């Protein structure tokens, strides 16, 4: 029991260290900090106040929503109280019997606040109304009406923008937790699985990747986060994907690939991060959307292939079995890309692969009878 607890603590610490060191999380968030930013540059966020408000967390948006209306009601309530005081409408001023107030039934601070609230929200209970004998009151009610509409439009726009933000659409597109390396159509390929959980399509989808690593030039210069393009394709190409069902994306490991120098026993010793991007346009809202995820060497399995998840029933209808989305099977795979391309027959040396405890592996002999699209 003690050994199990120690192992869990160790795995938790390792997982936290991995999350801190990777640039892009599995859910697409960028893990980066900006330091030594000049104080004057912070005013750029105020100039671009619309984007700043939209990117606020919901708790702050709700706070500003409540505060903006409440504060405006109170400020204009004070102004209405000031007008009533100057006109001698307040109770403690003992107005004469024939006195004509600027606003009927506004005789203290509370009634002034209630009139401000009723005016700005267009409630109009009928108990309080402005009279045409005070030009200042007429001017103030026009100003409050205009400012109230501006606050309404701005706050409603922010809330609608946050609800319809394309980032939320990305939540319904999921990548496989792991990537695999195995032969495909006489090529050694790195493969990733991606699925669209909605039935609405992503129009004009494009997939591409960036390999991030630290490189040292011959002159001794160290480049941190050096980016190398990684091309991903499917059987029908790499642009305008027909994203109606889960797709398996693959990158061909040839002599131009940065994975060509890696082998089964050196892959997990490397230090790099593979960031995968999927760009497209949401069919229902016509808004651009980008989905991101990343893979580190410990999340790449050498010598495994994904289990098919698409089948056809007796009625001829296609079915996607998401219970197999994260399942893999061991396949015969070369020890390295060089062996695969230059040593005939050597790539059939094993079907053991490199295992990963977080991935569910099934026996190759127990594959269900499925028809793969």
């Amino acid at each position: 029991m003690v050994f199990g607890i120690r192992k869990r603590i160790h795995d938790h610490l390792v997982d936290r260290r991995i999350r801190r060191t990777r640039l892009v999380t599995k859910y697409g968030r960028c893990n980066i900090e900006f330091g030594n930013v000049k104080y004057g540059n912070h005013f750029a966020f105020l100039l671009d106040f619309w984007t700043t408000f939209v990117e606020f967390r919901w708790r702050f948006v709700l706070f500003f929503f409540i505060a903006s209306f409440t504060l405006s009601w109170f400020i204009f309530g004070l102004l209405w109280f000031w007008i009533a005081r100057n006109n001698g409408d307040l109770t403690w001023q003992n107005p004469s019997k024939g006195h004509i107030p600027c606003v009927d039934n506004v005789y203290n601070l509370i009634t002034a606040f209630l009139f401000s609230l009723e005016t700005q929200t267009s409630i109009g209970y009928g108990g309080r109304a402005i009279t045409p004998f005070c030009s200042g009151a007429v001017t103030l009610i026009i100003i409050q009406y205009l400012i109230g509409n501006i606050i309404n439009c701005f706050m409603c726009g922010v809330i609608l923008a946050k609800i319809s933000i394309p980032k939320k659409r990305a939540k319904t597109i999921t990548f496989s937790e792991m990537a695999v390396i195995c032969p495909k159509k006489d090529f050694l390929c790195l493969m990733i699985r991606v699925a669209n959980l909605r039935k609405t399509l992503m129009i004009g989808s494009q997939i591409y990747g960036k390999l991030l690593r630290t490189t040292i030039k011959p002159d001794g210069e160290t480049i941190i986060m050096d980016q190398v393009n990684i091309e991903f394709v499917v059987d029908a190409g790499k642009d305008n994907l027909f994203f109606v069902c889960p797709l398996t994306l693959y990158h061909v490991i040839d002599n131009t690939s940065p994975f060509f120098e890696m082998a089964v026993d050196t892959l997990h010793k490397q230090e790099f991060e593979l960031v995968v991007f999927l760009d497209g346009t949401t069919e229902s809202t016509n808004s651009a959307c980008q989905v991101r995820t990343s893979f580190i060497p410990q999340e790449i399995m050498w010598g495994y292939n994904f289990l098919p998840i698409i089948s056809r029933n007796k009625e001829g209808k296609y079915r996607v079995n998401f219970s197999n989305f994260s399942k893999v099977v061991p396949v015969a795979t070369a020890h390295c890309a060089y062996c695969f391309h230059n040593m005939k027959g050597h790539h059939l040396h094993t079907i053991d692969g490199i295992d990963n405890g977080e991935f569910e592996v099934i026996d190759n002999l127990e594959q269900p009878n499925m028809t793969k699209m």
Side-chain angles (χ1 to χ4, degrees), residues 3 58 88 252 298 328:
F3 176 77
W58 272 109
V252 178
Q298 291 75 18
V328 296

Side-chain angles (χ1 to χ4, degrees), residues 30-69:
C30 295
N31 183 24
I32 190 170
E33 295 181 356
F34 296 98
N36 299 325
V37 179
K38 293 183 178 179
Y39 182 77
N41 292 337
H42 292 291
F43 288 102
F45 293 96
L46 296 178
L47 296 177
D48 187 18
F49 64 91
W50 174 256
T51 304
T52 302
F53 268 89
V54 172
E55 291 182 349
F56 273 147
R57 294 183 179 271
W58 272 109
R59 62 176 73 98
F60 298 115
V61 172
L62 294 177
F63 171 78
F64 282 114
F65 180 86
I66 297 172
S68 61
F69 283 106

Side-chain angles (χ1 to χ4, degrees), residues 139-291:
T139 303
L140 182 60
I141 199 171
I142 294 174
I143 295 174
Q144 183 172 7
Y145 177 78
L146 295 175
I147 293 179
N149 280 335
I150 292 174
I151 295 175
N152 282 335
C153 293
F154 181 81
M155 295 309 302
C156 289
V158 169
I159 292 176
L160 288 176
K162 284 191 69 66
I163 293 175
S164 60
I165 196 168
K167 190 182 297 184
K168 303 302 179 183
R169 177 64 176 91
K171 301 293 185 181
T172 56
I173 298 177
T174 180
F175 287 88
S176 57
E177 288 292 327
M178 303 287 171
V180 297
I181 295 179
C182 65
K184 179 179 176 64
K185 295 183 178 180
D186 298 328
F187 293 100
L188 186 65
C189 299
L190 181 144
M191 295 191 291
I192 300 170
R193 178 169 278 173
V194 60
N196 180 15
L197 301 181
R198 290 189 179 272
K199 291 186 178 181
T200 54
L201 299 179
M202 294 288 292
I203 308 301
S205 299
Q206 295 181 341
I207 189 76
Y208 57 96
K210 300 286 185 181
L211 187 71
L212 309 179
R213 59 184 178 181
T214 301
T215 59
I216 301 177
K217 288 186 176 182
D219 57 359
E221 179 185 1
T222 300
I223 302 178
I224 299 177
M225 205 169 64
D226 185 25
Q227 301 184 19
V228 180
N229 291 327
I230 302 294
E231 290 194 2
F232 284 94
V233 296
V234 296
D235 292 334
K238 63 177 181 178
D239 297 329
N240 298 322
L241 306 179
F242 186 43
F243 205 4
V244 68
C245 60
L247 299 176
T248 300
L249 315 171
Y250 58 91
H251 163 71
V252 178
I253 303 178
D254 53 17
N255 56 1
T256 63
S257 170
F259 295 97
F260 188 78
E261 303 294 334
M262 303 179 191
V264 63
D265 52 352
T266 62
L267 174 64
H268 291 177
K269 300 177 183 179
Q270 302 289 327
E271 292 186 5
F272 65 84
E273 183 175 349
L274 175 62
V275 184
V276 182
F277 304 85
L278 190 147
D279 297 339
T281 303
T282 306
E283 184 181 34
S284 55
T285 62
N286 198 31
S287 57
C289 177
Q290 183 182 86
V291 190

Side-chain angles (χ1 to χ4, degrees), residues 335-346:
H335 177 270
C336 61
Y338 179 84
C339 302
F340 183 88
H341 292 284
N342 298 279
M343 299 181 183
K344 300 300 180 180
H346 182 71

Side-chain angles (χ1 to χ4, degrees), residues 3 5 23 29 43 49 71 110 113 120 195 222 282 288 292 306 310 344 347 354 360:
F3 176 77
I5 295 175
L23 177 65
R29 289 185 176 273
F43 288 102
F49 64 91
L71 189 61
I110 295 178
F113 175 79
Q120 191 166 325
T222 300
T282 306
R292 300 180 294 270
F306 290 113
I310 303 175
K344 300 300 180 180
H347 60 281
I354 294 298
E360 185 174 357

